[in-house]
Amino acid sequence: MGLFTGKKGIIMGVANEHSLAAGVAEFLKKEGAEIGFSHLPDKEGGPAKMLRRVMRVAEPLGITFVRPCDVANDADIARFFGEVREQFGSIDFLVHSIAFAPLDDIRCATIDASRAGFLTAMDISVYSFIACARAAVPLMDKGGAMTTMTYYGGERVVGGYNLMGVCKAALESATKYLAWDLGPKGIRVNAVSAGPVKTLASSAVGAGDMLHLYSAMAPMARNITNEEVGRSAGFLLSDMASATTGEILHVDCGYHVMGSPGRAVLT
Ligand SMILES: NC(=O)c1ccc[n+]([C@@H]2O[C@H](COP(=O)([O-])OP(=O)(O)OC[C@H]3O[C@@H](n4cnc5c(N)ncnc54)[C@H](O)[C@@H]3O)[C@@H](O)[C@H]2O)c1
């Protein structure tokens, strides 16, 4: 019997096999969960590029509920969670692994970010967690757990992370306030603060360049994998973490505890 035997839930934000959410899906599936995916919709009339990519993860795991949901659109969120209700009835967990900022507004200094870019980045990277959590609550009638994905650049300045750091600070705060709101309903809300992993989204904020820094500076002297993100998110979503909510769990080989460049300058 697995940690998630008899549990059902939704993972939002698998783009391809490199996505952090793919690591979560693999772990939860191995532990017995029944899972549905949402994905960014393809352009109407265009090729089904997004769907094809997400199916590369869904198919080998035997996941058949794979539906589009643009989290910037309230009607789409409502339709998607309606379909989730039809398929699953109730759910036990929700994974939100979604972020976006216009490239021009993230590749510039924070001081130069446009108002429109700021609003888009906050909408998709932060508000969407609140909106999806609200839509999921009626399906978690027996309680449940939600997890989002954040990064250390929301706590401290990380050069190059720029506007997304501002979004992650807001996302971490939203995680704590959602934990407060939903605690009485038996729903826990946490976040995994992952070290850099090369993915589609992280290439926009230079995660590739950060890998060397992490292996040089982190106490564990290496980088993380998305399998490790999967296991840690799985812990937070499981009954093993039954008294943990509002937590930002660092999965970064200890990088966040460093107060100096450590072995990067000592060796
Ligand atoms: N990769 C890293 O180094 C790293 C580290 C810490 C935190 N994170 C966070 O992990 C989360 C997942 O990112 P990832 O690195 O796995 O990259 P990814 O590109 O695989 O995932 C990002 C997902 O967001 C989705 N998305 C963007 N806009 C959307 C919209 N309007 N509606 C629906 N979906 C939308 C994309 O389709 C994609 O599935 C993000 O919140 C990211 O900030 C990533």
Side-chain angles (χ1 to χ4, degrees), residues 73-200:
N73 181 320
D74 284 332
D76 226 26
I77 293 175
R79 178 205 36 84
F80 174 73
F81 279 94
E83 290 171 7
V84 171
R85 183 187 278 285
E86 265 173 44
Q87 174 77 20
F88 295 98
S90 62
I91 59 172
D92 303 284
F93 61 85
L94 173 71
V95 176
H96 173 276
S97 188
I98 289 174
F100 175 79
L103 274 186
D104 286 350
D105 293 289
I106 204 167
R107 293 214 166 131
C108 65
T110 308
I111 198 168
D112 292 323
S114 70
R115 186 181 300 271
F118 179 91
L119 293 175
T120 299
M122 284 294 227
D123 184 17
I124 297 176
S125 312
V126 186
Y127 183 74
S128 71
F129 185 40
I130 297 173
C132 293
R134 187 167 57 241
V137 165
L139 304 184
M140 291 189 168
D141 46 356
K142 303 183 298 291
M146 305 180 181
T147 297
T148 188
M149 298 291 176
T150 186
Y151 176 64
Y152 189 56
E155 295 173 61
R156 297 278 186 273
V157 173
V158 174
Y161 205 58
N162 306 335
L163 179 58
M164 193 48 71
V166 180
C167 292
K168 292 305 190 192
L171 181 68
E172 291 177 18
S173 186
T175 299
K176 295 169 193 172
Y177 278 92
L178 290 174
W180 160 252
D181 289 346
L182 300 180
K185 295 183 190 295
I187 300 172
R188 299 178 297 101
V189 187
N190 293 293
V192 167
S193 181
V197 175
K198 267 197 205 167
T199 62
L200 285 177

Side-chain angles (χ1 to χ4, degrees), residues 232-256:
S232 299
F235 160 71
L236 289 173
L237 294 169
S238 77
D239 293 341
M240 304 270 286
S242 58
T244 299
T245 195
E247 185 72 16
I248 313 297
L249 178 65
H250 293 88
V251 180
D252 63 354
C253 293
Y255 179 91
H256 70 286

